[in-house]
Amino acid sequence: AALAMLRTIVVLAVAASIPSFSSAFLASSPLPVAAGRSAATGVCSVRASQQSESVSRRSLLAAGFAAGLALPLSSANAQDAPAAAPAPAAEAAPAAAPLAVKPEAFKVSGTYATDVTDLLGRMKAATAFKKGDSGMKPVVEDCRAAMNTFVAYYRRNNKVAGAASFSTLYTAISTLSGHFQNYGAEYPVPEKRKKRLSQQYAEIEKQVTRGR
């Protein structure tokens, strides 16, 4: 009986790996019916576990294949997708044109050196303009008004009228005033005349500093 049981166990193990063998063996087995039934039950459970294991393996393989297939597809779709168009750059606002600011009106203080310095500053500004510069007209008009006011006030002053600085300044005023009188308030001073006026401005400043 022990040898028969051992033989049955070995055969069952082989039958587990070869399913078609189990039914033929069970039909020829000399075991009692009860033993045959229990053996058949064991074979069925073994086959069921193998089938479930095979199914689970197939499920894992199918899932892995689907995941592997999805990765290259998603990568291909990402590569084939058109790149997003860059956002349009904001247009720079145009630069505002410079505003022509009219200088403060010239006022005689009664102090000759102070008034000469003020007037020279306005005359230099009007002389410095070049062709195409903006804001020239209000500066020139202010300069012309300041020269007229200065001459009208100090020409009657005998102490000032005889000074060397006043004589040089009066010559520069006549040159600059005559230029704008002939060509208008928007025509720049020519370079040759501008150079001569610059020399006169420097000489006037030296004379005023020396009290002359």
Side-chain angles (χ1 to χ4, degrees):
L3 290 174
M5 288 297 295
L6 181 59
R7 176 169 163 268
T8 302
I9 293 173
V10 172
V11 172
L12 289 176
V14 174
S17 58
I18 307 176
S20 62
F21 176 76
S22 60
S23 59
F25 172 76
L26 290 174
S28 61
S29 175
L31 290 176
V33 176
R37 289 179 179 175
S38 61
T41 303
V43 171
C44 292
S45 62
V46 170
R47 292 182 65 184
S49 62
Q50 287 179 343
Q51 291 178 355
S52 61
E53 181 178 353
S54 177
V55 170
S56 61
R57 287 179 181 178
R58 286 198 299 269
S59 301
L60 290 175
L61 289 174
F65 176 76
L69 182 62
L71 286 175
L73 287 176
S74 61
S75 301
N77 292 335
Q79 293 176 359
D80 295 339
E91 295 183 359
L99 298 177
V101 180
K102 187 175 182 179
E104 186 178 354
F106 176 81
K107 294 180 181 180
V108 177
S109 66
T111 303
Y112 177 71
T114 301
D115 293 338
V116 169
T117 301
D118 188 356
L119 180 62
L120 280 178
R122 297 169 191 263
M123 293 176 69
K124 288 179 181 180
T127 306
F129 280 100
K130 298 179 181 180
K131 188 175 182 179
D133 290 346
S134 60
M136 180 177 178
K137 186 175 181 179
V139 174
V140 171
E141 290 176 346
D142 170 77
C143 178
R144 294 182 66 185
M147 290 188 295
N148 292 334
T149 302
F150 182 90
V151 171
Y153 181 85
Y154 283 105
R155 186 171 50 185
R156 299 189 302 266
N157 190 326
N158 294 329
K159 293 182 179 180
V160 172
S165 59
F166 183 83
S167 177
T168 307
L169 179 57
Y170 189 84
T171 302
I173 289 174
S174 298
T175 301
L176 188 60
S177 179
H179 168 78
F180 291 126
Q181 180 67 32
N182 294 329
Y183 298 101
E186 295 180 297
Y187 190 88
V189 178
E191 289 298 324
K192 185 176 180 179
R193 186 173 297 168
K194 185 183 296 185
K195 183 177 180 181
R196 184 168 69 250
L197 285 170
S198 297
Q199 293 173 349
Q200 291 174 342
Y201 297 156
E203 183 65 24
I204 293 167
E205 290 174 340
K206 290 179 181 179
Q207 291 171 342
V208 170
T209 301
R210 296 171 183 174
R212 299 174 59 189

PDB file of all heavy atoms in Angstrom, residues 63-98:
ATOM      1  N   ALA A  63      -0.666  43.701 -20.090  1.00  0.00           N
ATOM      2  CA  ALA A  63      -0.583  45.048 -19.520  1.00  0.00           C
ATOM      3  C   ALA A  63       0.765  45.681 -19.837  1.00  0.00           C
ATOM      4  O   ALA A  63       0.867  46.866 -20.169  1.00  0.00           O
ATOM      5  CB  ALA A  63      -0.814  44.991 -18.008  1.00  0.00           C
ATOM      6  N   GLY A  64       1.848  44.869 -19.715  1.00  0.00           N
ATOM      7  CA  GLY A  64       3.177  45.405 -20.021  1.00  0.00           C
ATOM      8  C   GLY A  64       3.306  45.792 -21.475  1.00  0.00           C
ATOM      9  O   GLY A  64       3.896  46.817 -21.829  1.00  0.00           O
ATOM     10  N   PHE A  65       2.733  44.945 -22.380  1.00  0.00           N
ATOM     11  CA  PHE A  65       2.796  45.262 -23.800  1.00  0.00           C
ATOM     12  C   PHE A  65       2.034  46.551 -24.116  1.00  0.00           C
ATOM     13  O   PHE A  65       2.480  47.396 -24.885  1.00  0.00           O
ATOM     14  CB  PHE A  65       2.214  44.093 -24.595  1.00  0.00           C
ATOM     15  CG  PHE A  65       2.154  44.356 -26.084  1.00  0.00           C
ATOM     16  CD1 PHE A  65       3.313  44.284 -26.851  1.00  0.00           C
ATOM     17  CD2 PHE A  65       0.954  44.691 -26.694  1.00  0.00           C
ATOM     18  CE1 PHE A  65       3.243  44.535 -28.204  1.00  0.00           C
ATOM     19  CE2 PHE A  65       0.901  44.943 -28.032  1.00  0.00           C
ATOM     20  CZ  PHE A  65       2.052  44.861 -28.804  1.00  0.00           C
ATOM     21  N   ALA A  66       0.848  46.711 -23.472  1.00  0.00           N
ATOM     22  CA  ALA A  66       0.060  47.924 -23.701  1.00  0.00           C
ATOM     23  C   ALA A  66       0.788  49.162 -23.204  1.00  0.00           C
ATOM     24  O   ALA A  66       0.805  50.211 -23.849  1.00  0.00           O
ATOM     25  CB  ALA A  66      -1.305  47.791 -23.005  1.00  0.00           C
ATOM     26  N   ALA A  67       1.448  49.040 -22.026  1.00  0.00           N
ATOM     27  CA  ALA A  67       2.191  50.190 -21.495  1.00  0.00           C
ATOM     28  C   ALA A  67       3.373  50.529 -22.375  1.00  0.00           C
ATOM     29  O   ALA A  67       3.666  51.691 -22.645  1.00  0.00           O
ATOM     30  CB  ALA A  67       2.643  49.887 -20.059  1.00  0.00           C
ATOM     31  N   GLY A  68       4.082  49.469 -22.847  1.00  0.00           N
ATOM     32  CA  GLY A  68       5.222  49.719 -23.721  1.00  0.00           C
ATOM     33  C   GLY A  68       4.806  50.327 -25.038  1.00  0.00           C
ATOM     34  O   GLY A  68       5.519  51.126 -25.630  1.00  0.00           O
ATOM     35  N   LEU A  69       3.633  49.933 -25.541  1.00  0.00           N
ATOM     36  CA  LEU A  69       3.143  50.506 -26.790  1.00  0.00           C
ATOM     37  C   LEU A  69       2.699  51.947 -26.611  1.00  0.00           C
ATOM     38  O   LEU A  69       2.842  52.777 -27.497  1.00  0.00           O
ATOM     39  CB  LEU A  69       1.982  49.646 -27.297  1.00  0.00           C
ATOM     40  CG  LEU A  69       1.365  50.061 -28.648  1.00  0.00           C
ATOM     41  CD1 LEU A  69       2.419  49.965 -29.744  1.00  0.00           C
ATOM     42  CD2 LEU A  69       0.156  49.192 -28.975  1.00  0.00           C
ATOM     43  N   ALA A  70       2.153  52.254 -25.434  1.00  0.00           N
ATOM     44  CA  ALA A  70       1.635  53.603 -25.194  1.00  0.00           C
ATOM     45  C   ALA A  70       2.761  54.626 -25.107  1.00  0.00           C
ATOM     46  O   ALA A  70       2.616  55.767 -25.524  1.00  0.00           O
ATOM     47  CB  ALA A  70       0.797  53.637 -23.908  1.00  0.00           C
ATOM     48  N   LEU A  71       3.922  54.198 -24.555  1.00  0.00           N
ATOM     49  CA  LEU A  71       5.021  55.157 -24.378  1.00  0.00           C
ATOM     50  C   LEU A  71       5.527  55.698 -25.705  1.00  0.00           C
ATOM     51  O   LEU A  71       5.618  56.921 -25.883  1.00  0.00           O
ATOM     52  CB  LEU A  71       6.166  54.512 -23.582  1.00  0.00           C
ATOM     53  CG  LEU A  71       5.889  54.330 -22.081  1.00  0.00           C
ATOM     54  CD1 LEU A  71       7.033  53.586 -21.427  1.00  0.00           C
ATOM     55  CD2 LEU A  71       5.693  55.694 -21.428  1.00  0.00           C
ATOM     56  N   PRO A  72       5.889  54.848 -26.677  1.00  0.00           N
ATOM     57  CA  PRO A  72       6.351  55.430 -27.939  1.00  0.00           C
ATOM     58  C   PRO A  72       5.290  56.221 -28.671  1.00  0.00           C
ATOM     59  O   PRO A  72       5.575  57.191 -29.339  1.00  0.00           O
ATOM     60  CB  PRO A  72       6.798  54.207 -28.750  1.00  0.00           C
ATOM     61  CG  PRO A  72       6.136  53.033 -28.105  1.00  0.00           C
ATOM     62  CD  PRO A  72       5.996  53.378 -26.668  1.00  0.00           C
ATOM     63  N   LEU A  73       3.998  55.782 -28.525  1.00  0.00           N
ATOM     64  CA  LEU A  73       2.941  56.537 -29.179  1.00  0.00           C
ATOM     65  C   LEU A  73       2.818  57.934 -28.607  1.00  0.00           C
ATOM     66  O   LEU A  73       2.676  58.917 -29.327  1.00  0.00           O
ATOM     67  CB  LEU A  73       1.603  55.789 -29.046  1.00  0.00           C
ATOM     68  CG  LEU A  73       1.454  54.523 -29.921  1.00  0.00           C
ATOM     69  CD1 LEU A  73       0.141  53.850 -29.626  1.00  0.00           C
ATOM     70  CD2 LEU A  73       1.589  54.871 -31.394  1.00  0.00           C
ATOM     71  N   SER A  74       2.861  58.025 -27.251  1.00  0.00           N
ATOM     72  CA  SER A  74       2.754  59.343 -26.631  1.00  0.00           C
ATOM     73  C   SER A  74       3.952  60.203 -26.975  1.00  0.00           C
ATOM     74  O   SER A  74       3.825  61.406 -27.189  1.00  0.00           O
ATOM     75  CB  SER A  74       2.627  59.182 -25.102  1.00  0.00           C
ATOM     76  OG  SER A  74       3.774  58.526 -24.580  1.00  0.00           O
ATOM     77  N   SER A  75       5.163  59.573 -27.048  1.00  0.00           N
ATOM     78  CA  SER A  75       6.345  60.346 -27.414  1.00  0.00           C
ATOM     79  C   SER A  75       6.240  60.846 -28.840  1.00  0.00           C
ATOM     80  O   SER A  75       6.582  61.987 -29.159  1.00  0.00           O
ATOM     81  CB  SER A  75       7.604  59.476 -27.257  1.00  0.00           C
ATOM     82  OG  SER A  75       7.727  59.031 -25.927  1.00  0.00           O
ATOM     83  N   ALA A  76       5.730  59.945 -29.750  1.00  0.00           N
ATOM     84  CA  ALA A  76       5.579  60.370 -31.146  1.00  0.00           C
ATOM     85  C   ALA A  76       4.572  61.496 -31.269  1.00  0.00           C
ATOM     86  O   ALA A  76       4.771  62.456 -32.012  1.00  0.00           O
ATOM     87  CB  ALA A  76       5.155  59.172 -32.003  1.00  0.00           C
ATOM     88  N   ASN A  77       3.467  61.391 -30.512  1.00  0.00           N
ATOM     89  CA  ASN A  77       2.464  62.449 -30.569  1.00  0.00           C
ATOM     90  C   ASN A  77       3.030  63.768 -30.060  1.00  0.00           C
ATOM     91  O   ASN A  77       2.714  64.830 -30.582  1.00  0.00           O
ATOM     92  CB  ASN A  77       1.224  62.053 -29.753  1.00  0.00           C
ATOM     93  CG  ASN A  77       0.473  60.893 -30.405  1.00  0.00           C
ATOM     94  OD1 ASN A  77       0.569  60.700 -31.612  1.00  0.00           O
ATOM     95  ND2 ASN A  77      -0.270  60.132 -29.613  1.00  0.00           N
ATOM     96  N   ALA A  78       3.848  63.675 -28.989  1.00  0.00           N
ATOM     97  CA  ALA A  78       4.437  64.900 -28.437  1.00  0.00           C
ATOM     98  C   ALA A  78       5.399  65.530 -29.425  1.00  0.00           C
ATOM     99  O   ALA A  78       5.490  66.759 -29.533  1.00  0.00           O
ATOM    100  CB  ALA A  78       5.150  64.578 -27.120  1.00  0.00           C
ATOM    101  N   GLN A  79       6.152  64.680 -30.188  1.00  0.00           N
ATOM    102  CA  GLN A  79       7.093  65.223 -31.154  1.00  0.00           C
ATOM    103  C   GLN A  79       6.370  65.798 -32.364  1.00  0.00           C
ATOM    104  O   GLN A  79       6.795  66.792 -32.937  1.00  0.00           O
ATOM    105  CB  GLN A  79       8.070  64.132 -31.604  1.00  0.00           C
ATOM    106  CG  GLN A  79       9.016  63.668 -30.480  1.00  0.00           C
ATOM    107  CD  GLN A  79       9.896  62.518 -30.937  1.00  0.00           C
ATOM    108  OE1 GLN A  79       9.775  62.060 -32.075  1.00  0.00           O
ATOM    109  NE2 GLN A  79      10.771  62.075 -30.057  1.00  0.00           N
ATOM    110  N   ASP A  80       5.275  65.112 -32.782  1.00  0.00           N
ATOM    111  CA  ASP A  80       4.562  65.573 -33.966  1.00  0.00           C
ATOM    112  C   ASP A  80       3.695  66.786 -33.695  1.00  0.00           C
ATOM    113  O   ASP A  80       3.286  67.475 -34.634  1.00  0.00           O
ATOM    114  CB  ASP A  80       3.668  64.449 -34.521  1.00  0.00           C
ATOM    115  CG  ASP A  80       4.514  63.280 -35.026  1.00  0.00           C
ATOM    116  OD1 ASP A  80       5.702  63.520 -35.301  1.00  0.00           O
ATOM    117  OD2 ASP A  80       3.986  62.154 -35.117  1.00  0.00           O
ATOM    118  N   ALA A  81       3.376  67.037 -32.424  1.00  0.00           N
ATOM    119  CA  ALA A  81       2.498  68.174 -32.113  1.00  0.00           C
ATOM    120  C   ALA A  81       3.203  69.476 -32.469  1.00  0.00           C
ATOM    121  O   ALA A  81       4.380  69.656 -32.191  1.00  0.00           O
ATOM    122  CB  ALA A  81       2.144  68.170 -30.619  1.00  0.00           C
ATOM    123  N   PRO A  82       2.498  70.403 -33.116  1.00  0.00           N
ATOM    124  CA  PRO A  82       3.137  71.680 -33.492  1.00  0.00           C
ATOM    125  C   PRO A  82       3.486  72.499 -32.262  1.00  0.00           C
ATOM    126  O   PRO A  82       2.772  72.518 -31.265  1.00  0.00           O
ATOM    127  CB  PRO A  82       2.046  72.372 -34.335  1.00  0.00           C
ATOM    128  CG  PRO A  82       0.759  71.736 -33.882  1.00  0.00           C
ATOM    129  CD  PRO A  82       1.103  70.320 -33.521  1.00  0.00           C
ATOM    130  N   ALA A  83       4.643  73.203 -32.331  1.00  0.00           N
ATOM    131  CA  ALA A  83       5.079  74.028 -31.210  1.00  0.00           C
ATOM    132  C   ALA A  83       4.144  75.226 -31.066  1.00  0.00           C
ATOM    133  O   ALA A  83       3.626  75.753 -32.048  1.00  0.00           O
ATOM    134  CB  ALA A  83       6.512  74.509 -31.444  1.00  0.00           C
ATOM    135  N   ALA A  84       3.933  75.608 -29.818  1.00  0.00           N
ATOM    136  CA  ALA A  84       3.046  76.741 -29.549  1.00  0.00           C
ATOM    137  C   ALA A  84       3.665  78.014 -30.113  1.00  0.00           C
ATOM    138  O   ALA A  84       4.861  78.248 -29.991  1.00  0.00           O
ATOM    139  CB  ALA A  84       2.824  76.883 -28.040  1.00  0.00           C
ATOM    140  N   ALA A  85       2.847  78.818 -30.737  1.00  0.00           N
ATOM    141  CA  ALA A  85       3.333  80.064 -31.327  1.00  0.00           C
ATOM    142  C   ALA A  85       3.748  81.024 -30.220  1.00  0.00           C
ATOM    143  O   ALA A  85       3.057  81.154 -29.211  1.00  0.00           O
ATOM    144  CB  ALA A  85       2.233  80.693 -32.190  1.00  0.00           C
ATOM    145  N   PRO A  86       4.916  81.706 -30.358  1.00  0.00           N
ATOM    146  CA  PRO A  86       5.333  82.654 -29.323  1.00  0.00           C
ATOM    147  C   PRO A  86       4.385  83.833 -29.233  1.00  0.00           C
ATOM    148  O   PRO A  86       3.799  84.255 -30.226  1.00  0.00           O
ATOM    149  CB  PRO A  86       6.734  83.095 -29.805  1.00  0.00           C
ATOM    150  CG  PRO A  86       6.725  82.848 -31.280  1.00  0.00           C
ATOM    151  CD  PRO A  86       5.838  81.643 -31.492  1.00  0.00           C
ATOM    152  N   ALA A  87       4.238  84.323 -28.014  1.00  0.00           N
ATOM    153  CA  ALA A  87       3.342  85.460 -27.800  1.00  0.00           C
ATOM    154  C   ALA A  87       3.905  86.686 -28.497  1.00  0.00           C
ATOM    155  O   ALA A  87       5.107  86.923 -28.478  1.00  0.00           O
ATOM    156  CB  ALA A  87       3.202  85.734 -26.295  1.00  0.00           C
ATOM    157  N   PRO A  88       3.066  87.460 -29.154  1.00  0.00           N
ATOM    158  CA  PRO A  88       3.565  88.656 -29.860  1.00  0.00           C
ATOM    159  C   PRO A  88       4.146  89.656 -28.876  1.00  0.00           C
ATOM    160  O   PRO A  88       3.609  89.894 -27.798  1.00  0.00           O
ATOM    161  CB  PRO A  88       2.302  89.210 -30.539  1.00  0.00           C
ATOM    162  CG  PRO A  88       1.161  88.636 -29.749  1.00  0.00           C
ATOM    163  CD  PRO A  88       1.624  87.289 -29.266  1.00  0.00           C
ATOM    164  N   ALA A  89       5.315  90.209 -29.241  1.00  0.00           N
ATOM    165  CA  ALA A  89       5.980  91.184 -28.371  1.00  0.00           C
ATOM    166  C   ALA A  89       5.180  92.482 -28.339  1.00  0.00           C
ATOM    167  O   ALA A  89       4.616  92.920 -29.344  1.00  0.00           O
ATOM    168  CB  ALA A  89       7.395  91.453 -28.876  1.00  0.00           C
ATOM    169  N   ALA A  90       5.125  93.043 -27.147  1.00  0.00           N
ATOM    170  CA  ALA A  90       4.396  94.297 -26.997  1.00  0.00           C
ATOM    171  C   ALA A  90       5.125  95.413 -27.732  1.00  0.00           C
ATOM    172  O   ALA A  90       6.343  95.540 -27.650  1.00  0.00           O
ATOM    173  CB  ALA A  90       4.266  94.652 -25.507  1.00  0.00           C
ATOM    174  N   GLU A  91       4.383  96.172 -28.496  1.00  0.00           N
ATOM    175  CA  GLU A  91       4.983  97.257 -29.248  1.00  0.00           C
ATOM    176  C   GLU A  91       5.363  98.388 -28.309  1.00  0.00           C
ATOM    177  O   GLU A  91       4.609  98.770 -27.420  1.00  0.00           O
ATOM    178  CB  GLU A  91       4.000  97.773 -30.298  1.00  0.00           C
ATOM    179  CG  GLU A  91       3.660  96.735 -31.372  1.00  0.00           C
ATOM    180  CD  GLU A  91       2.738  97.305 -32.426  1.00  0.00           C
ATOM    181  OE1 GLU A  91       2.374  98.497 -32.283  1.00  0.00           O
ATOM    182  OE2 GLU A  91       2.389  96.576 -33.360  1.00  0.00           O
ATOM    183  N   ALA A  92       6.588  98.908 -28.518  1.00  0.00           N
ATOM    184  CA  ALA A  92       7.068 100.006 -27.684  1.00  0.00           C
ATOM    185  C   ALA A  92       6.294 101.274 -28.030  1.00  0.00           C
ATOM    186  O   ALA A  92       6.027 101.571 -29.198  1.00  0.00           O
ATOM    187  CB  ALA A  92       8.560 100.225 -27.893  1.00  0.00           C
ATOM    188  N   ALA A  93       5.920 101.988 -27.000  1.00  0.00           N
ATOM    189  CA  ALA A  93       5.195 103.228 -27.215  1.00  0.00           C
ATOM    190  C   ALA A  93       6.123 104.253 -27.852  1.00  0.00           C
ATOM    191  O   ALA A  93       7.295 104.343 -27.508  1.00  0.00           O
ATOM    192  CB  ALA A  93       4.659 103.767 -25.881  1.00  0.00           C
ATOM    193  N   PRO A  94       5.650 105.000 -28.825  1.00  0.00           N
ATOM    194  CA  PRO A  94       6.512 106.004 -29.464  1.00  0.00           C
ATOM    195  C   PRO A  94       6.946 107.060 -28.466  1.00  0.00           C
ATOM    196  O   PRO A  94       6.196 107.453 -27.570  1.00  0.00           O
ATOM    197  CB  PRO A  94       5.602 106.597 -30.553  1.00  0.00           C
ATOM    198  CG  PRO A  94       4.214 106.293 -30.094  1.00  0.00           C
ATOM    199  CD  PRO A  94       4.290 104.998 -29.349  1.00  0.00           C
ATOM    200  N   ALA A  95       8.193 107.504 -28.637  1.00  0.00           N
ATOM    201  CA  ALA A  95       8.734 108.512 -27.727  1.00  0.00           C
ATOM    202  C   ALA A  95       7.992 109.825 -27.925  1.00  0.00           C
ATOM    203  O   ALA A  95       7.711 110.239 -29.056  1.00  0.00           O
ATOM    204  CB  ALA A  95      10.226 108.695 -27.973  1.00  0.00           C
ATOM    205  N   ALA A  96       7.669 110.436 -26.814  1.00  0.00           N
ATOM    206  CA  ALA A  96       6.961 111.704 -26.887  1.00  0.00           C
ATOM    207  C   ALA A  96       7.894 112.795 -27.388  1.00  0.00           C
ATOM    208  O   ALA A  96       9.083 112.821 -27.063  1.00  0.00           O
ATOM    209  CB  ALA A  96       6.404 112.072 -25.509  1.00  0.00           C
ATOM    210  N   ALA A  97       7.373 113.670 -28.208  1.00  0.00           N
ATOM    211  CA  ALA A  97       8.178 114.782 -28.720  1.00  0.00           C
ATOM    212  C   ALA A  97       8.518 115.730 -27.584  1.00  0.00           C
ATOM    213  O   ALA A  97       7.714 115.975 -26.686  1.00  0.00           O
ATOM    214  CB  ALA A  97       7.382 115.525 -29.799  1.00  0.00           C
ATOM    215  N   PRO A  98       9.763 116.256 -27.565  1.00  0.00           N
ATOM    216  CA  PRO A  98      10.140 117.176 -26.488  1.00  0.00           C
ATOM    217  C   PRO A  98       9.297 118.437 -26.523  1.00  0.00           C
ATOM    218  O   PRO A  98       9.020 118.990 -27.592  1.00  0.00           O
ATOM    219  CB  PRO A  98      11.616 117.478 -26.799  1.00  0.00           C
ATOM    220  CG  PRO A  98      11.775 117.158 -28.251  1.00  0.00           C
ATOM    221  CD  PRO A  98      10.833 116.050 -28.535  1.00  0.00           C
TER     222      PRO A  98
END
